[in-house]
């Protein structure tokens, strides 16, 4: 780590000489403001997904037309949840089955392709998706379904380094976009339905060498590594068995499967954690820390600075993985999260103190609200799925109809925040589930749920709703309903626009203040990915990946049947204004 300042100086010198600059930590910290590149998932590590660009605006968006489209090709379609990144005129976009394409951002011409060789027996829970890559120096780095990290040369696509995160036979996989925070590569793990142990890992992005590892299940050791790669004990997270009974913490879940955000101002990385394992909550009385939480980690030390648990002793698979997006409110740095459990939370970004919490979906059955003093939900005990051992045959607990469904008031699709309107734009869904508990024991590499379920619709005319949410008042300022469940992310711009895609195939834009839909385009397959925007030689571009899939067709019960007419695909669409 000693040599870093020198390498940064050299990079800065290259930039000053006009040579092709490599991506530096400073450029990544400035990503949200630099409009000619998109260096990180979230369009800036804070995850606001806001661009100050206003060349395209409410007055001229009707003239937005395709500039080019690129097909991922082959028979490998399925869900495309990727956000492209962009640097030096090159677009880097990941695709299903752990593929990565480098494209000329001006023309869509393919520069190179990397296809990861996936073994048989991988266990991705929720389709063969990938959410995007990270850029650092001359590398493009992404995670694969067999739980590896691969760093490729941006110019040639050659593999520079490859590291195994964990054992895919034990249910580990990886699909989130890594982020660069404080010069470190941060990644999480997927596999919460298989009793994995969630964690956040920091690596040297140039070599892949581990710097620290911080598990997100209370009781597990954190580890730091010296320059020679020797591990050093870094203290446990909390107290063994304080919030878990028996040995259940050893296979506790809390997977960090959506990755994280980072705020250079607080020096903290924010990772959401998934469900505690197994789903049957009666087996694990207690809060089951740090499941279903936001965990704020000091990137310099790997220590958990604070945590906030949205669903203690979760019994509904309300993964708390959703992105924690930092912003300024009343002169204070805060962060917001629209949780899968249906509530929207605002916490102090430095301390975690809960400042506000309110529903962003209309039907919530499991809690009546959030106590702002204690930070805890006011549970509805009769809406917790029953204990199977209490039943006559001991095989099935009481069935409850709970909302939101475990697919969430919001799922993997990231929201956006506009500092102009001071509103969050939240892709939300209204649906419910029948859920019940069953006996279960942990077995390596097998599903570890102890529950059964069916997803149900609540309304005939809509499931999805893009909602403009005021984080101060808790009011929904406007909403745009959608027949199918929304599963793509959101982009907002200085042009007073909000862009998002629908499973029906449209990329569309609304007036950010009024919610009036002012433009849409049919991409030919469902959109389950977040759009981006950038400018090049004075031209503003908008891009989105199209390709229906993800968790809904696999797990969606009655909803999956309702939307089974939607076709698969796999392509990038890029738009610009016609003159
Ligand atoms: Ca940028
Ligand atoms: Ca889960």
């Amino acid at each position: 780590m000693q040599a870093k300042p020198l390498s940064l100086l050299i990079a800065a010198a290259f930039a000053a000489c006009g040579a092709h600059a490599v991506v530096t930590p400073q450029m990544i910290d400035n990503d949200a403001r630099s409009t000619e590149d998109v260096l990180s998932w979230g369009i800036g590590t804070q995850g606001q997904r806001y661009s100050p660009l206003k060349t395209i605006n409410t007055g001229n968006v009707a003239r937005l037309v395709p500039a080019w489209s690129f097909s991922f090709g082959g028979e490998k379609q399925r869900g495309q949840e990727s956000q492209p990144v962009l640097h030096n005129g090159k677009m880097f976009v990941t695709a299903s089955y752990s593929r990565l394409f480098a494209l000329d951002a001006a023309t869509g011409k393919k520069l190179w392709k990397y296809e990861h060789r996936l073994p048989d027996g991988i266990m991705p829970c929720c389709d063969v998706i990938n959410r995007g890559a990270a850029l650092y120096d001359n590398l493009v780095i992404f995670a694969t379904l067999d739980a590896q990290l691969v760093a490729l040369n941006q110019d040639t696509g050659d593999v520079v380094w490859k590291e195994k995160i964990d054992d895919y036979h034990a249910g580990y996989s990886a699909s989130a976009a890594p982020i660069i925070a404080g010069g470190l590569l941060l990644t999480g793990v997927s596999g919460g339905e298989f009793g994995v142990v969630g964690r956040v890992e920091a690596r040297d992005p140039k070599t892949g060498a581990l710097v620290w590892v911080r598990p997100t299940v209370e009781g597990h050791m954190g580890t730091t590594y010296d320059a020679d790669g020797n591990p050093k004990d870094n203290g446990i997270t909390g107290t063994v068995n304080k919030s878990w009974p028996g040995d259940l913490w050893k296979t506790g879940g809390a997977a960090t499967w959506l990755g994280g955000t980072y705020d250079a101002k607080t020096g903290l990385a924010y990772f959401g954690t998934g469900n505690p394992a197994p789903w049957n909550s009666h087996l694990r009385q207690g809060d089951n820390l740090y499941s279903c939480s936001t965990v704020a980690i000091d990137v310099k030390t790997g220590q958990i600075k604070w945590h906030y648990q949205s669903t203690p002793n979760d019994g509904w698979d309300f993964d708390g993985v959703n992105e924690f997006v930092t912003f300024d409110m009343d002169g204070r740095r805060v962060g917001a999260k629209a949780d899968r459990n249906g509530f929207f939370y605002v916490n102090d970004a430095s301390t975690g103190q809960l400042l506000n919490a309110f529903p962003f979906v209309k039907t919530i059955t499991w809690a009546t609200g959030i106590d702002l003093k204690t930070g805890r939900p006011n549970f509805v005990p009769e809406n917790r799925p029953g204990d199977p051992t209490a039943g006559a045959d001991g095989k099935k607990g009481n069935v409850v109809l709970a909302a939101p469904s475990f697919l969430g008031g919001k799922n993997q699709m990231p929201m956006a925040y506009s500092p102009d309107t001071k509103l969050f734009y939240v892709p939300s869904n209204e649906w419910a589930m029948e859920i019940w508990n069953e006996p279960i024991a942990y077995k390596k590499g097998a599903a570890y749920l102890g529950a059964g379920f069916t997803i149900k619709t609540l309304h005939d005319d809509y499931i999805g709703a893009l909602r403009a949410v005021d984080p101060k008042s808790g009011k929904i300022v406007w909403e745009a309903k959608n027949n199918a469940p929304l599963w793509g992310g959101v982009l907002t711009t200085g042009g007073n626009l909000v862009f998002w895609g629908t499973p029906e195939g449209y990329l569309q834009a609304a007036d950010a203040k009024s919610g009036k839909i002012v433009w849409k385009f049919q991409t030919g397959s469902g959109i389950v990915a977040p759009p981006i925007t950038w400018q090049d030689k004075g031209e503003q571009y908008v891009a989105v990946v199209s390709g229906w899939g993800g968790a809904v067709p696999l797990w969606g019960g009655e909803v999956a049947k309702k939307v089974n007419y939607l076709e698969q695909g796999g392509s990038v669409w890029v738009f610009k204004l016609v003159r």
Side-chain angles (χ1 to χ4, degrees), residues 417-553:
Y417 173 75
S418 168
D420 302 331
T421 62
K422 298 188 166 41
L423 298 174
F424 277 89
Y425 300 98
V426 184
S428 66
N429 289 312
E430 301 279 349
W431 42 16
M433 63 180 165
E434 279 182 350
I435 182 169
W436 61 91
N437 288 321
E438 298 164 351
I440 184 78
Y442 175 76
K443 187 165 164 261
K444 182 185 167 182
Y448 188 42
L449 301 186
F453 49 80
T454 310
I455 304 279
K456 302 271 189 187
T457 55
L458 283 170
H459 309 283
D460 288 339
D461 58 333
Y462 82 104
I463 299 168
L466 195 286
R467 290 187 170 133
V469 172
D470 183 334
K472 271 181 84 166
S473 69
K475 289 213 169 70
I476 294 171
V477 176
W478 58 259
E479 69 175 356
K481 290 179 179 172
N482 198 73
N483 188 260
L486 290 180
W487 209 257
V490 185
L491 163 73
T492 184
T493 72
N496 189 36
L497 291 168
V498 180
F499 289 90
W500 74 101
T502 70
E504 290 89 339
Y506 289 101
L507 179 65
Q508 55 193 26
D511 181 309
K513 291 196 189 89
S514 71
K516 185 185 172 212
I517 291 179
V518 287
W519 175 82
K520 63 179 181 178
F521 178 86
Q522 172 58 248
T523 63
S525 179
I527 297 175
V528 291
I532 61 167
T533 189
W534 73 95
Q535 70 170 345
D536 183 30
K537 300 181 185 77
E539 186 87 68
Q540 185 182 351
Y541 296 86
V542 174
V544 74
V545 170
S546 172
W548 170 241
V552 174

Side-chain angles (χ1 to χ4, degrees), residues 27 30-40 43-44 86 533:
M27 287 163 67
N30 193 47
D31 186 22
R33 289 169 292 278
S34 59
T35 53
E36 299 198 339
D37 58 26
V38 176
L39 301 175
S40 40
I43 316 181
L86 201 125
T533 189

Side-chain angles (χ1 to χ4, degrees), residues 21 57 88 97 115 132 140 200 224 268 291 331 335 364 424 429 473 494 505 515:
N57 54 56
N88 265 350
Y97 293 95
E115 286 198 71
V140 51
V200 179
T224 55
L268 299 175
S291 65
I364 297 178
F424 277 89
N429 289 312
S473 69

